[in-house]
Amino acid sequence: MSISVSLGPLAALIAGILILVAPRLLNYIVALYLIIIGLLGLFGPGAHSLHL
C-alpha cells in the first residue's frame, strides 16, 4: 500500500491547525504563503525567461 501526499494540501492542513491553535499566527502564515508562492512564480519551473 502506497500513500502519496501533495505539498499544497498538507501545507494548508498544517496552517489551518496552527491558526486554530494560535490565531495570532495568521498574519505570519499568510505572509509566508505569499512569499513562497511569489518565489515559486519567479523561480519555479518554466520561469527561465523574463515575461514583460
Side-chain angles (χ1 to χ4, degrees):
M1 183 166 102
S2 175
I3 296 176
S4 169
V5 178
S6 296
L7 185 60
L10 182 62
L13 179 63
I14 292 170
I17 292 170
L18 287 174
I19 291 169
L20 281 175
V21 172
R24 296 175 67 186
L25 288 175
L26 179 61
N27 292 336
Y28 297 109
I29 291 171
V30 170
L32 185 63
Y33 171 78
L34 292 174
I35 290 169
I36 290 171
I37 293 300
L39 289 173
L40 287 176
L42 287 174
F43 303 113
H48 300 292
S49 62
L50 183 62
H51 302 286
L52 295 176

